[in-house]
Amino acid sequence: MQPKVYEVNETRKKAVVITPETLFTGQQLVWLPACASTNTEAQILIVQNRASDGCTIITDFQTAGRGQRGNHWEGAPAENLMLSVVWQPTFLAAAQQFRLSQAVALGVHDWAATLLGPDPKLKLKWPNDLYYGDQKLGGVLIENSLSGPKIQHSIIGIGLNVNQQAFSTATATSIGQLTGRAYAREVLAARLLECLERRYLQLRAGQVGKLRQEYLRALYRYQETHWFVVDGRRVQGQIVGVEDDGRLAVAIGDALRRFGMQEIRHG
């Protein structure tokens, strides 16, 4: 099946065509030259009942891209991948939302590994940022809507640094900086959608244990002693796992503590 290409900006003469080899992810494609946020655009399509399962919104530039913890997403125009995927994981209970986060993170990690190889520096920083060493390659923001005890829709917003060469922070990098190459983003977008769908299908097939094991193997600073900031002070601890509800399990001194998103950060 060829993807449907929606040319949203009708004044633009050239349509963007992305052809992922997927069952449904990206088979409805909405391309925008610029927008505030692809997650916001996805939500509008859902409300209008115009988003099929796997609908993908992709843009050259976000003016108000959002990241985890309310952070702004930095991305230069027409150099990176910025997209949102709409899925309908009605097989997941609301309490199982982190399973989807793990699957998405692994899909992003798989995508990066196709470009960088099985590099031990390629990691997933809890909950789902993509890192190379101590530098950020990309991030994920998942927004779920619920219907009773089940997830009705999930909007998976992804920003990945591809060709950008200069960042305002030394803690960011790109695939192009690491490899010294420039990439055709349409090809990489198709590859990303394929990687995401493979992991999503694993989740839908109930391969929860396999996904959890692979996520932990890829987890940044897993089972290593490092500094963290908790309650405004620096403490040493060791990440020992992730709970089913997504909380990070950290051994601090003689205690095992569990933290939500706003409660701990690497320090």
Side-chain angles (χ1 to χ4, degrees):
M1 179 195 294
Q2 291 296 315
K4 300 175 182 178
V5 179
Y6 291 85
E7 182 55 59
V8 178
N9 182 355
E10 295 182 359
T11 64
R12 186 177 174 93
K13 296 180 180 179
K14 181 181 178 182
V16 173
V17 180
I18 297 170
T19 55
E21 296 182 6
T22 57
L23 297 175
F24 52 90
T25 304
Q27 295 300 318
Q28 179 190 1
L29 178 68
V30 178
W31 182 81
L32 297 163
C35 66
S37 162
T38 55
N39 269 30
T40 300
E41 296 294 335
Q43 184 60 50
I44 292 171
L45 291 177
I46 290 172
V47 170
Q48 295 174 343
N49 200 29
R50 293 171 56 203
S52 63
D53 194 10
C55 173
T56 298
I57 299 89
I58 188 166
T59 188
D60 272 349
F61 183 57
Q62 290 186 130
T63 59
R66 305 191 303 279
Q68 295 285 1
R69 305 174 191 258
N71 293 328
H72 174 73
W73 175 257
E74 175 193 356
E79 292 187 1
N80 303 314
L81 286 183
M82 290 164 282
L83 58 84
S84 294
V85 175
V86 177
W87 279 329
Q88 299 170 11
T90 54
F91 57 91
L92 284 176
Q96 298 171 330
Q97 295 180 51
F98 190 68
R99 294 181 180 182
L100 179 64
S101 182
Q102 286 181 320
V104 170
L106 284 169
V108 171
H109 188 273
D110 293 343
W111 169 86
T114 67
L115 301 167
L116 300 176
D119 195 316
K121 290 186 177 181
L122 189 61
K123 293 293 183 180
L124 294 170
K125 185 179 178 184
W126 175 82
N128 45 32
D129 282 342
L130 182 67
Y131 263 59
Y132 186 85
D134 294 324
Q135 292 181 294
K136 188 173 180 177
L137 271 171
V140 176
L141 176 64
I142 300 177
E143 297 177 308
N144 296 313
S145 60
L146 308 179
S147 178
K150 298 286 188 178
I151 300 176
Q152 184 177 31
H153 288 97
S154 295
I155 301 174
I156 297 91
I158 300 174
L160 295 166
N161 299 330
V162 176
N163 291 324
Q164 188 167 338
Q165 294 296 314
F167 296 90
S168 62
T169 172
T171 57
T173 190
S174 68
I175 296 292
Q177 280 188 325
L178 294 173
T179 64
R181 294 178 53 191
Y183 294 87
R185 289 175 302 129
E186 293 85 356
V187 175
L188 266 56
R191 188 177 299 172
L192 174 62
L193 295 174
E194 292 162 3
C195 290
L196 290 171
E197 185 173 276
R198 278 195 293 269
R199 291 298 187 173
Y200 183 69
L201 292 176
Q202 281 185 310
L203 177 62
R204 199 166 74 177
Q207 298 179 29
V208 177
K210 175 181 173 62
L211 291 170
R212 176 178 291 277
Q213 290 174 3
E214 292 192 42
Y215 177 83
L216 289 177
R217 282 200 294 268
L219 190 60
Y220 177 71
R221 294 184 173 176
Y222 178 54
Q223 295 182 329
E224 299 175 1
T225 300
H226 285 279
W227 288 99
F228 297 87
V229 177
V230 178
D231 298 328
R233 62 189 183 91
R234 294 183 78 224
V235 297
Q236 275 196 321
Q238 185 178 106
I239 298 172
V240 296
V242 180
E243 301 291 303
D244 287 338
D245 60 5
R247 289 181 301 164
L248 190 69
V250 183
I252 300 175
D254 295 328
L256 178 62
R257 299 184 59 182
R258 297 165 178 84
F259 299 95
M261 271 293 299
Q262 305 299 326
E263 299 171 345
I264 188 172
R265 62 180 175 85
H266 290 272

